[in-house]
Amino acid sequence: MSLGEFDVINTYFKRPAKHTSVIQSVGDDCAVLSIPENHQLVVSMDTLVAGRHFPKDASPEHIAQRAFCTCLSDLAAMGAAPQWFTLGLTLPESDSIWLQSFSESLLNIADEYQCDLVGGDTTQGPLTITLQVHGLVKAGCALTRSAAQAGDKVFVTGCLGDGAAALEVLLNPSIKVDVAVQEYLSQRFYCPEPQIKSGRLLVDYANAAIDISDGLLSDCQHIANASAVDIKIDVSKIPLSSAYRAVVNEAAIDKALVGGDDYQLVFTVSEQHYSSVNRFIKDKVLDATEIGQVLNSRSAKPVVHCVDSQGVIDIKIKQGYQHFAS
Ligand code: ADP
Ligand code: MG
C-alpha cells in the first residue's frame, strides 16, 4: 500500500515523547525543546545513501539500526547523554511494509537510548536517511579530540576489529565460521553498540576521546592532529574478540588497527585520573583496555606509531573513506 507524506509521518513517526523536555514534537513547524540549566547541547548529523553507505537491497531493520547506532556513537564520543533526534527520510516510494519495519527498528533503538524523535522531513527520491542526534553534557565537559596531553595513557573500549572481521565474512561467503561467531559478527556490524554509558562515565575522567569509525590508527591520528601530540600504540595490547581470532589469522593484527566500523571509543587519561579509570575497569563498570601513551610531538606533523616487543613496526594507515577524494 502506498501512503501520502502526512500519513507516513502520522502512522510511523508520530508518538508521545518520553522526555518532559519536549515541549513540541512532530506535528508543528518546529520542535520546541528545553535545555536544563548548566548544560550544553551536543549535535551531530549523518547521512546514509543507498548504494553508497549500504547495499540497495539491505533490510530496513539493518539500515535503521546501523544508521542510528553509528550516529549515537558520535554522542558517546563527546560524553553526551542522548535526548532527541530528527529524521530526514527520502524514499523512492511509500511502501508500508518497509516503513513499518524501518520505523519499528528505529524507535526500538530510540527507546533503548532514551532519545525522542521530535521532527524530520519526508521526501520522495533515491533512498537516503539523514539522522540528527541531540545530546546534553554538563557545560564545559564535552570530551573533544583536541584535549590529549603528553603523558596521558591511551585506552580503548571493548574489542577491536570486529567490524572488519564481520565485513570479511559478509563479503566472502566461502569463509566458514560457526553460527555463534557469525551471529556475533553480524550483530556487531549491523547494530554496533554506541558506547554511551562509557562516554558519560568518562566525561569526568578522560582528556580526549573519539569513536572509532575509520580504524584505530586513523582515528588516533585525528586526536594527534587536533591535540598536536604523538601517540604510541602497543599492538600486543589490542583487545581482540574470539570471533575476530576465529575469522582473521590471529597473527594478523592489521584489521584491528586499520579496519573501521568498530564504534568503540579511544580515550586518553591523565595521571591524575589513571587510578580511577583502572578501578572502573577492575570493578567492571568500564570495559576498556590500556593500549598506549600520548607523547610530546617531535615534529610539526604529529605521528601515531605502533610498537610491539621487537620495537617500532610499520603499519600502513588506510585513509578513512573520503567523499569527493579523487
Ligand atoms: P513543514 O512543511 O513545516 O516543514 P513538514 O510538512 O515537512 O513541515 O512536516 C510536518 C511535521 O512532521 C513537522 O513537525 C516535521 O518535523 C515532522 N516530520 C516530517 N517528516 C518526519 C519524519 N520522517 N520523521 C519525524 N517527523 C517528521
Ligand atoms: Mg512549516
Side-chain angles (χ1 to χ4, degrees):
M1 189 178 57
S2 181
L3 298 169
E5 177 188 335
F6 294 111
D7 291 330
V8 168
I9 298 166
N10 288 327
T11 310
Y12 298 107
F13 300 112
K14 189 169 177 165
R15 60 174 197 167
K18 301 239 163 47
H19 289 287
T20 53
S21 58
V22 181
I23 311 303
Q24 174 64 53
S25 184
V26 173
D28 210 318
D29 292 311
C30 294
V32 180
L33 310 164
S34 302
I35 299 178
E37 224 178 299
N38 302 322
H39 283 70
Q40 288 171 328
L41 188 58
V42 178
V43 180
S44 174
M45 176 186 277
D46 275 325
T47 292
L48 283 90
V49 179
R52 184 158 285 263
H53 299 99
F54 56 85
K56 285 209 162 87
D57 60 354
S59 74
E61 295 93 325
H62 284 164
I63 298 171
Q65 285 172 353
R66 201 169 146 75
F68 203 178
C69 289
T70 58
C71 207
L72 286 168
S73 175
D74 286 319
L75 287 184
M78 305 299 287
Q83 302 288 312
W84 318 293
F85 74 108
T86 54
L87 167 68
L89 192 56
T90 303
L91 299 169
E93 55 186 348
S94 65
D95 172 343
S96 55
I97 294 175
W98 191 96
L99 276 160
Q100 177 64 39
S101 156
F102 176 83
S103 60
E104 220 172 84
S105 305
L106 197 75
L107 295 175
N108 280 342
I109 297 172
D111 285 344
E112 190 178 340
Y113 290 93
Q114 296 166 46
C115 196
D116 281 322
L117 178 59
V118 294
D121 197 23
T122 305
T123 52
Q124 188 166 23
L127 180 59
T128 305
I129 320 290
T130 297
L131 287 170
Q132 186 171 48
V133 287
H134 305 75
L136 293 174
V137 286
K138 284 184 289 179
C141 291
L143 297 169
T144 62
R145 300 175 180 193
S146 56
Q149 299 276 345
D152 287 0
K153 298 288 194 271
V154 179
F155 291 77
V156 68
T157 61
C159 292
L160 295 186
D162 287 346
L167 205 56
E168 185 101 344
V169 173
L170 283 170
L171 297 178
N172 301 297
S174 61
I175 300 178
K176 294 281 171 268
V177 288
D178 64 50
V179 178
V181 168
Q182 179 128 21
E183 270 173 13
Y184 168 88
L185 290 177
S186 171
Q187 180 75 4
R188 280 275 169 272
F189 188 78
Y190 286 115
C191 203
E193 194 184 334
Q195 299 298 305
I196 297 287
K197 249 174 67 188
S198 300
R200 293 189 65 188
L201 174 69
L202 290 168
V203 145
D204 294 320
Y205 298 93
N207 274 346
I210 190 169
D211 67 320
I212 304 180
S213 50
D214 291 340
L216 174 70
L217 299 187
S218 277
D219 289 313
C220 281
Q221 189 69 55
H222 290 309
I223 292 184
N225 293 346
S227 303
V229 293
D230 287 354
I231 291 179
K232 186 168 80 175
I233 302 291
D234 182 342
V235 299
S236 67
K237 294 187 177 162
I238 302 293
L240 303 173
S241 68
S242 54
Y244 177 93
R245 293 174 198 274
V247 171
V248 183
N249 174 353
E250 195 171 328
I253 188 84
D254 302 42
K255 277 198 191 305
L257 296 173
V258 302
D261 292 324
D262 278 323
Y263 300 100
Q264 297 293 345
L265 302 182
V266 186
F267 57 95
T268 79
V269 176
S270 67
E271 201 179 331
Q272 186 196 351
H273 295 302
Y274 184 68
S275 58
S276 302
V277 167
N278 276 315
R279 165 67 49 189
F280 293 142
I281 294 172
K282 197 157 169 276
D283 293 347
K284 299 198 184 312
V285 180
L286 177 68
D287 172 19
T289 308
E290 184 179 337
I291 58 164
Q293 33 184 318
V294 179
L295 307 167
N296 279 313
S297 190
R298 282 185 293 174
S299 69
K301 200 171 174 314
V303 182
V304 176
H305 36 230
C306 293
V307 296
D308 64 7
S309 54
Q310 316 293 316
V312 176
I313 53 172
D314 186 26
I315 292 180
K316 292 274 165 287
I317 299 187
K318 174 189 71 143
Q319 273 295 316
Y321 180 78
Q322 286 191 39
H323 294 273
F324 309 117
S326 50

